[in-house]
Amino acid sequence: MDKDLTLSIIKPNAVRNKKIGKIISVFEESSLTIKKAKLTRLNKSQAEAFYKEHVDKPFFDELVGFMTSGPIMVLILEGANAVEENRRLMGATNPAEAEQGTIRSLYADSMTENAVHGSDSQKSAHSEIAFFFDE
Ligand code: ATP
Ligand code: MG
């Protein structure tokens, strides 16, 4: 079986709302394995760099403000089709459109404060893992 990696972030609203354990349970009940995890915090320039693909979007400043508003938990998840599987567990970006039972349907507070991030391709998984971990 091919094992892929992906990066997950439990965003500041979910940490504030004490949902780290609930979200980790979703991962543990899935086919994915937690390979590394740490609680950390992004400063403004780090959040801007992480979300640089969105720099021209109208929601960019709000997104950076939110992502720097408190601690986050970053995790490396491993398993077959890790990127796709994590995004399936997360649900749609807009929580109103997220399928029932997905992390965002359960723990998002709004479109911006949508509880989790997941890499969107193997290429971005690789660079996002390097952004947070020495590997
Ligand atoms: P993420 O990259 O965080 O996993 P995603 O890939 O589902 O989410 P993107 O299009 O990459 O969605 O947007 C990045 C993040 O920016 C979203 O998760 C959300 O927090 C925020 N965002 C996206 N679209 C909007 C919007 N229209 N209004 C407000 N915030 C938004
Ligand atoms: Mg994205």
Side-chain angles (χ1 to χ4, degrees):
M1 186 187 74
D2 271 359
K3 282 193 178 171
D4 304 319
L5 302 178
T6 192
L7 184 91
S8 167
I9 302 179
I10 302 178
K11 294 184 177 182
N13 70 305
V15 175
R16 250 190 311 275
N17 295 339
K18 299 190 184 246
K19 300 304 179 191
I20 290 177
K22 298 276 190 197
I23 293 169
I24 283 180
S25 290
V26 174
F27 296 141
E28 291 196 314
E29 285 159 17
S30 77
S31 61
L32 302 176
T33 301
I34 297 168
K35 205 183 161 207
K36 286 195 178 181
K38 68 178 176 189
L39 198 67
T40 185
R41 223 186 140 122
L42 292 174
N43 65 29
K44 186 162 182 275
S45 63
Q46 289 168 328
E48 286 170 348
F50 186 79
Y51 276 118
K52 60 181 181 305
E53 68 177 292
H54 296 305
V55 66
D56 295 325
K57 306 273 171 66
F59 57 81
F60 183 70
D61 288 349
E62 187 186 351
L63 177 60
V64 168
F66 165 56
M67 289 302 292
T68 57
S69 68
I72 58 173
M73 175 158 268
V74 290
L75 306 97
I76 301 177
L77 304 176
E78 182 180 60
N81 303 312
V83 168
E84 296 75 13
E85 182 58 11
N86 181 40
R87 290 189 72 89
R88 191 183 68 75
L89 296 170
M90 287 160 56
T93 309
N94 180 353
E97 290 166 11
E99 206 175 307
Q100 249 199 338
T102 59
I103 296 170
R104 284 169 167 167
S105 78
L106 293 166
Y107 306 120
D109 292 308
S110 68
M111 180 89 158
T112 298
E113 304 204 6
N114 61 1
V116 279
H117 162 82
S119 310
D120 61 10
S121 65
Q122 287 208 44
K123 187 165 173 273
S124 62
H126 187 85
S127 61
E128 290 176 2
I129 287 168
F131 186 94
F132 284 106
F133 295 95
D134 299 326
E135 58 176 67

CSV table of all heavy atoms in Angstrom, one decimal, residues 48 60 112 116:
chain,number,residue,atom,x,y,z
A,48,GLU,N,0.8,35.0,6.5
A,48,GLU,CA,0.8,35.6,5.1
A,48,GLU,C,1.6,34.7,4.2
A,48,GLU,O,1.1,34.5,3.0
A,48,GLU,CB,1.4,37.0,5.1
A,48,GLU,CG,0.5,38.0,5.8
A,48,GLU,CD,1.2,39.4,6.0
A,48,GLU,OE1,2.4,39.5,5.9
A,48,GLU,OE2,0.4,40.3,6.3
A,60,PHE,N,-8.4,37.8,2.5
A,60,PHE,CA,-7.0,37.5,2.9
A,60,PHE,C,-6.7,38.1,4.3
A,60,PHE,O,-6.2,37.5,5.2
A,60,PHE,CB,-6.0,38.0,1.9
A,60,PHE,CG,-4.6,37.7,2.2
A,60,PHE,CD1,-4.1,36.4,2.1
A,60,PHE,CD2,-3.7,38.7,2.6
A,60,PHE,CE1,-2.8,36.1,2.4
A,60,PHE,CE2,-2.4,38.4,2.9
A,60,PHE,CZ,-1.9,37.1,2.8
A,112,THR,N,-14.7,31.6,7.4
A,112,THR,CA,-13.3,31.8,7.7
A,112,THR,C,-12.9,30.9,8.9
A,112,THR,O,-11.9,30.2,8.8
A,112,THR,CB,-13.1,33.3,8.1
A,112,THR,OG1,-13.4,34.1,7.0
A,112,THR,CG2,-11.6,33.5,8.5
A,116,VAL,N,-10.5,23.6,10.4
A,116,VAL,CA,-9.4,22.8,10.0
A,116,VAL,C,-8.9,23.3,8.6
A,116,VAL,O,-9.6,23.8,7.8
A,116,VAL,CB,-9.6,21.3,9.9
A,116,VAL,CG1,-9.6,20.6,11.3
A,116,VAL,CG2,-11.0,21.0,9.2
